[in-house]
Amino acid sequence: MTQFTVTVVDTTGKQNYIFSSNRLRENIGASFLLSQSTKEWVEETLEKLEVPKKCQEEAIERSELNAELIYAAGGNALILFKTHEIAVRFTQILSKQVLKKAQGVNLLVVHKDFDWERENLHSIVENLKKYDIERQKYERISSVPLLGLGVTASCNSTQLPAIDTSEKYINYADEEETDSYFISTETKQKLQAVDQANQKLQKFFADVVDQNIYQFPYRTDHLGRSKGESSYAAIVHADGNGMGNRFKKCGEGKENRDYIDDIRKFWLFITSYAKYVCK
């Protein structure tokens, strides 16, 4: 009997976290931190558990590694671990990272021990998503922290207790707006992530956008115009119909290794197509 533990990582309240403010700069930072929480930080956590990044997709049933990363993207991650104890340790490290660097991101994590040779991984994962993850979303007890004592200034964006002001985290050299405003820890972390987020975005579009001519702005008012000009901004949201059902059917009825291969190919197709559409 070959016993492994499958772990599903999900997030909730993504829209509220990203769009808690109308400031584009904070939206950029929030989106970047949410991506980090379920992609880069997942990979970094696995490295701390002695699973090198270049080996994280090696077949767990044929390797001596502690884990196998099936996918990590889009606010979700699916991972296999050698033991339940390693899975719990992974959750502890990742959760601490998110609490310290991305306050406001809500992680949902469930584990399930199973027999690799006798049980169907596809069915187990779908049941975890349908019952355990969904139950956590609806039954999760909201945190009610002691936000502040006495006279406390509120963050302009999140209405949480302010711990600082914005001017320390914004380069106003090319900005029209120079007024400082109160920020919470959550907003501070979003502002600190902005430059790194835009660098990642510029690298993503490097082959289609001349960085010497076009720069990704930090304010909505700077989209498509120069200073002093008037313009309109349009928001485009692209989604696919029935994508949830396609994910459910991916690898259905197949052996565990074939299911993993299929789900990875599907994720690769989705991310490649999204990149093509954006470009």
Side-chain angles (χ1 to χ4, degrees):
M1 182 176 70
T2 305
Q3 193 87 2
F4 295 136
T5 298
V6 59
T7 296
V8 178
V9 180
D10 200 354
T11 50
T12 185
K14 292 186 282 288
Q15 300 300 323
N16 290 335
Y17 177 73
I18 294 174
F19 299 110
S20 62
S21 164
N22 287 332
R23 295 182 176 89
L24 179 60
R25 182 186 296 272
E26 293 175 21
N27 303 149
I28 294 170
S31 180
F32 177 77
L33 289 175
L34 186 62
S35 174
Q36 292 285 101
S37 299
T38 53
K39 173 64 175 174
E40 285 80 5
W41 292 349
V42 168
E43 296 171 348
E44 290 175 9
T45 302
L46 290 176
E47 288 188 284
K48 293 178 182 177
L49 295 174
E50 301 179 353
V51 185
K53 188 173 181 179
K54 64 180 181 179
C55 304
Q56 288 178 2
E57 292 191 359
E58 288 189 11
I60 194 170
E61 74 275 17
R62 298 192 294 268
S63 77
E64 299 298 324
L65 298 174
N66 287 327
E68 176 185 357
L69 178 62
I70 299 177
Y71 65 78
N76 303 271
L78 183 61
I79 312 157
L80 294 179
F81 291 96
K82 286 285 188 181
T83 67
H84 187 87
E85 290 72 22
I86 298 175
V88 171
R89 180 58 181 154
F90 164 86
T91 305
Q92 292 171 339
I93 297 172
L94 179 62
S95 298
K96 186 175 181 180
Q97 177 91 327
V98 171
L99 286 170
K100 290 175 63 177
K101 296 187 177 181
Q103 286 192 23
V105 172
N106 296 313
L107 286 183
L108 303 175
V109 182
V110 292
H111 309 291
K112 174 68 175 178
D113 299 337
F114 73 103
D115 186 338
W116 172 266
E117 298 171 353
R118 299 181 181 180
E119 296 183 80
N120 183 261
L121 182 58
H122 173 274
S123 299
I124 293 171
V125 171
E126 291 306 317
N127 285 333
L128 287 175
K129 291 179 180 179
K130 183 177 180 180
Y131 298 108
D132 297 75
I133 287 290
E134 287 301 313
R135 184 172 65 249
Q136 280 195 32
K137 288 181 179 180
Y138 291 109
E139 296 181 358
R140 188 173 63 90
I141 300 175
S142 299
S143 176
V144 187
L146 182 63
L147 296 180
L149 296 171
V151 179
T152 306
S154 298
C155 170
N156 288 32
S157 300
T158 63
Q159 304 309 308
L160 295 170
I163 54 91
D164 211 334
T165 51
S166 61
E167 73 272 6
K168 297 178 182 179
Y169 310 98
I170 300 176
N171 180 9
Y172 286 115
D174 299 319
E175 298 279 351
E176 295 173 0
E177 179 185 72
T178 58
D179 292 337
S180 174
Y181 58 94
F182 290 116
I183 59 173
S184 62
T185 300
E186 179 180 319
T187 303
K188 171 186 170 182
Q189 291 171 338
K190 292 175 183 178
L191 292 175
Q192 289 176 318
V194 170
D195 289 337
Q196 192 177 355
N198 260 17
Q199 290 172 10
K200 183 177 180 180
L201 193 62
Q202 289 171 354
K203 183 178 180 181
F204 183 82
F205 287 99
D207 57 340
V208 292
V209 176
D210 188 339
Q211 306 297 324
N212 296 318
I213 300 175
Y214 301 104
Q215 296 290 324
F216 290 96
Y218 294 100
R219 293 187 60 200
T220 306
D221 284 346
H222 295 167
L223 281 168
R225 71 175 179 90
S226 300
K227 293 181 179 179
E229 296 180 349
S230 297
S231 66
Y232 293 94
I235 297 176
V236 179
H237 174 73
D239 199 357
N241 291 329
M243 293 304 294
N245 291 329
R246 292 193 64 180
F247 272 108
K248 290 178 183 178
K249 293 180 180 178
C250 187
E252 186 176 10
K254 294 189 176 182
E255 297 292 331
N256 292 343
R257 181 48 54 189
D258 293 333
Y259 160 68
I260 293 174
D261 291 340
D262 281 1
I263 201 73
R264 280 181 178 152
K265 290 177 183 177
F266 188 65
W267 268 107
L268 180 61
F269 167 76
I270 294 298
T271 53
S272 299
Y273 183 73
K275 187 173 183 179
Y276 170 78
V277 170
C278 289
K279 292 183 176 181

